[in-house]
Amino acid sequence: MFDKFDHYIQLLQELNVRLAKAVDTHTHADHITALGALRDRTHCVTVMGEKSGADVVSMRVSDGERIDIPGVALEVIYTPGHTDDSYSFLMEDRVFTGDTLLIRGTGRTDFENGDPRAQYESLFGRLLKLPDWTMVYPAHDYKGDTVSTIGEERAYNPRLQVKSIDEYVDLMNCLHLPNPKMMDVAVPANRHIGLHQEEIAKRGWALMAEDAMRLVGQPSIELIDLREAHERKAQGVIPGSIHMPYDELEENIREGGLLHELVAATGKRIVFYCAFGERSAMAVQAAQDAGLSSACHIQGGVDAWKKAKGKVVR
Ligand SMILES: [Fe+2]
């Protein structure tokens, strides 16, 4: 959450780790997300589920996909009900459940397209199918608890002691909770978290998809795909592009790096692209800072390219 931004940054420094990806489980109604601020400070990749109402995140994932970070993998489980964009993330012996499964509770289902029936399925059909020893880390706990287990929640979570889906729906529909204080501010703020790509455009470092279509294939252009292998497979690839994942950008653009040397040797213009233009916008800034003054990107990424009827191959 945004209130804890300074704490997150301090922890990153203290633990001496680089933030590669920041993942939100859903669009929060009770606080403002730190996702955008973390991206702006650390240039991390922002991740949410494909059903997220956020305007732009760097990467959208769907049920069954994996989120890879060197040494770590999260399996994506779509768990709608609290909101229609609620996801849980399984990492070996632990699951991050957002507000779907809380410690001795479950997330309310009465706003943001919440649905108690869907939540019952997410709980009983997905999360409670995990082994009993799986540790449960919810998005928050107002009592101060931080971790539980699937077995513990199955036994002692009062919301899970129902005999049928109808009993669960009745239970959730009778809660009559007041709306969160922050809701009218938090929900719109959490939907507008995308990087301001127009700032990059103002500096002349952006191509609209239609302009990019005219340039692609010309020998003076080197098109660089910053996405990960699974995104390329799922979304298709712009013909003639080189794959260079965002994670490897820094080593490629610095002096002696592949891209740096390629530009030095050929004078080619570098055109970055990614899924929605956010990673490529950050890449343009980094490349410009590294002295690659011809670097630009396709604004809006493959998403905009496809909307403009640009060709992709699979
Ligand atoms: Fe929530």
Side-chain angles (χ1 to χ4, degrees):
M1 57 179 81
F2 187 73
D3 292 349
K4 291 206 173 155
F5 174 72
D6 290 335
H7 177 62
Y8 299 150
I9 297 297
Q10 187 186 343
L11 259 182
L12 290 169
Q13 284 162 357
E14 287 174 355
L15 302 177
N16 192 26
V17 290
R18 183 172 67 86
L19 185 62
K21 286 182 178 144
V23 186
D24 253 2
T25 50
H26 65 289
T27 306
H28 305 284
D30 43 6
H31 61 263
I32 292 175
T33 178
L35 213 57
L38 285 169
R39 175 208 54 225
D40 290 345
R41 175 70 68 87
T42 69
H43 303 141
C44 68
V45 172
T46 56
V47 184
M48 284 187 83
E50 59 177 349
K51 308 268 188 205
S52 162
D55 55 349
V56 179
V57 285
S58 298
M59 185 185 286
R60 289 179 192 261
V61 291
S62 55
D63 187 69
E65 276 188 343
R66 266 169 41 143
I67 301 172
D68 286 309
I69 300 143
V72 181
L74 297 178
E75 187 189 320
V76 181
I77 311 174
Y78 180 42
T79 49
H82 168 56
T83 64
D84 61 355
D85 71 344
S86 287
Y87 289 76
S88 298
F89 301 97
L90 179 64
M91 185 183 124
E92 294 174 10
D93 59 352
R94 64 201 63 197
V95 62
F96 302 95
T97 55
D99 289 352
T100 301
L101 176 58
L102 303 170
I103 298 176
R104 308 299 191 265
T106 56
R108 60 193 294 178
T109 54
D110 55 342
F111 55 63
E112 280 200 281
N113 298 322
D115 176 354
R117 277 183 190 277
Q119 191 173 50
Y120 181 92
E121 296 297 343
S122 296
L123 291 164
F124 287 88
R126 305 296 301 271
L127 295 177
L128 292 180
K129 294 256 160 84
L130 295 169
D132 273 355
W133 42 260
T134 310
M135 286 182 278
V136 173
Y137 286 90
H140 50 69
D141 183 283
Y142 295 120
K143 300 181 299 298
D145 291 326
T146 53
V147 60
S148 178
T149 64
I150 290 291
E152 214 180 295
E153 290 313 306
R154 189 200 311 284
Y156 300 115
N157 189 321
R159 296 263 175 90
L160 303 181
Q161 310 309 313
V162 292
K163 301 263 179 320
S164 68
I165 188 165
D166 291 327
E167 193 183 333
Y168 186 75
V169 171
D170 286 345
L171 175 68
M172 295 309 285
N173 285 343
C174 292
L175 294 176
H176 304 301
L177 300 164
N179 276 346
K181 274 187 249 124
M182 290 279 289
M183 184 163 156
D184 294 339
V185 180
V187 172
N190 289 338
R191 287 199 176 130
H192 291 98
I193 56 172
L195 181 145
H196 296 291
Q197 293 181 30
E198 57 278 18
E199 296 299 319
I200 294 290
K202 266 187 217 155
R203 285 173 220 157
W205 299 339
L207 293 171
M208 294 301 123
E210 292 80 1
D211 302 324
M213 268 182 239
R214 282 188 286 276
L215 291 173
V216 164
Q218 290 184 15
S220 61
I221 299 290
E222 200 69 76
L223 196 58
I224 308 290
D225 184 357
L226 297 166
R227 294 171 301 160
E228 295 177 12
H230 67 95
E231 297 176 277
R232 284 161 58 87
K233 209 171 148 197
Q235 300 156 4
V237 175
I238 300 179
S241 51
I242 298 176
H243 184 208
M244 200 174 275
Y246 177 75
D247 199 40
E248 297 165 16
L249 180 74
E250 246 167 79
E251 59 197 78
N252 282 317
I253 57 175
R254 67 170 170 238
E255 224 166 299
L258 202 65
L259 218 48
H260 200 104
E261 296 312 302
L262 182 113
V263 172
T266 64
K268 281 191 176 191
R269 184 176 188 194
I270 299 296
V271 181
F272 291 111
Y273 78 95
C274 61
F276 302 102
E278 190 158 280
R279 273 168 285 181
S280 57
M282 292 191 285
V284 170
Q285 185 66 62
Q288 292 282 346
D289 292 346
L292 304 179
S293 61
S294 75
C296 63
H297 82 135
I298 301 179
Q299 188 163 319
V302 162
D303 184 55
W305 173 270
K306 285 206 233 172
K307 281 177 183 153
K309 305 266 182 291
K311 191 177 151 211
V312 294
V313 289
R314 285 179 202 262

